[in-house]
Amino acid sequence: GQQVMQIPQYQHVQEGEDFTTYCNSSTTLSNIQWYKQRPGGHPVFLIQLVKSGEVKKQKRLTFQFGEAKKNSSLHITATQTTDVGTYFCAGPVGTSGTYKYIFGTGTRLKVLA
Amino acid sequence: GAGVSQSPSNKVTEKGKDVELRCDPISGHTALYWYRQSLGQGLEFLIYFQGNSAPDKSGLPSDRFSAERTGGSVSTLTIQRTQQEDSAVYLCASSLVGGSSTGELFFGEGSRLTVL
């Protein structure tokens, strides 16, 4: 079936280092969303990318959608302890008229002060 | 309330009992999802409701699981004859529209189920 995979599964970085998580879909996606889940919390929407090759920035976060619309990345510059959490990508999978959002496996980020 | 509301927030039950988990989505949101998240794991899709369409039940792990959405609003997820492997956090999410470009999913705080 259609799958959305993320790598790495875990990442530990020193505060101030950069971090990147990669999302790969087995099928082309019409759009991709990114969410952040803080420890003990629920997923919170970060951004949606729609266009092939699209790049969006939110302060220290840079999101990219691949040209083939099958992969995406989230890059955090100069991580801070507030960046701790699990980052998920999500994409709509299904057939015309019947789509549902499937989440990637997630990347858990730990930032060491 | 302004957000997605789920109840109970915590439920401890004995193996073999039935449980009901409730989700009250944001008013006006037509799409409603249920996901399951085991400890330290990702979000496993369970079921999706979109307006008056038949729900997508393809993620329900067994016939012990069922869900309904009444009046296009409140949803109830029912687990019959609970097993220990059902222990997880059950997350509900809603969005304004459904389909392939649904916009932001708003999640509730989740219902943590523990089966002893």
Side-chain angles (χ1 to χ4, degrees), chain B residues 45-61:
Chain B
F45 167 79
L46 296 178
I47 189 168
Y48 166 54
F49 296 89
Q50 170 51 42
N52 296 320
S53 301
D56 182 333
K57 305 179 181 180
S58 60
L60 295 178

Side-chain angles (χ1 to χ4, degrees), chain A residues 35-103:
Chain A
Y35 291 79
K36 177 183 179 181
Q37 185 176 27
R38 294 182 184 274
H42 60 275
V44 174
F45 176 83
L46 294 175
I47 207 161
Q48 177 170 291
L49 305 171
V50 178
K51 298 177 184 177
S52 170
E54 186 171 14
V55 178
K56 285 189 176 180
K57 293 190 175 184
Q58 289 179 349
K59 298 182 180 179
R60 295 178 295 103
L61 277 61
T62 302
F63 303 84
Q64 193 163 11
F65 201 8
E67 293 290 340
K69 301 184 77 173
K70 294 180 71 173
N71 55 71
S72 181
S73 64
L74 158 59
H75 179 81
I76 303 177
T77 303
T79 54
Q80 300 176 358
T81 54
T82 53
D83 296 325
V84 165
T86 302
Y87 293 84
F88 293 98
C89 60
V93 298
T95 56
S96 178
T98 309
Y99 289 93
K100 56 185 179 280
Y101 271 78
I102 299 298
F103 280 72

Side-chain angles (χ1 to χ4, degrees), chain A residues 31 33 35 37 99 101 108, chain B residues 35 37 40 48 100 102-103 105:
Chain A
N31 63 81
Q33 297 179 349
Y35 291 79
Q37 185 176 27
Y99 289 93
Y101 271 78
R108 185 180 300 175
Chain B
Y35 294 92
Q37 188 172 36
Y48 166 54
S100 63
T102 190
L105 297 187

Side-chain angles (χ1 to χ4, degrees), chain B residues 72-93:
Chain B
S73 181
V74 171
S75 177
T76 302
L77 176 68
T78 301
I79 310 173
Q80 295 179 311
R81 304 181 303 281
T82 51
Q83 304 293 313
Q84 287 182 333
E85 60 262 28
D86 299 335
S87 296
V89 176
Y90 290 82
L91 289 161
C92 175

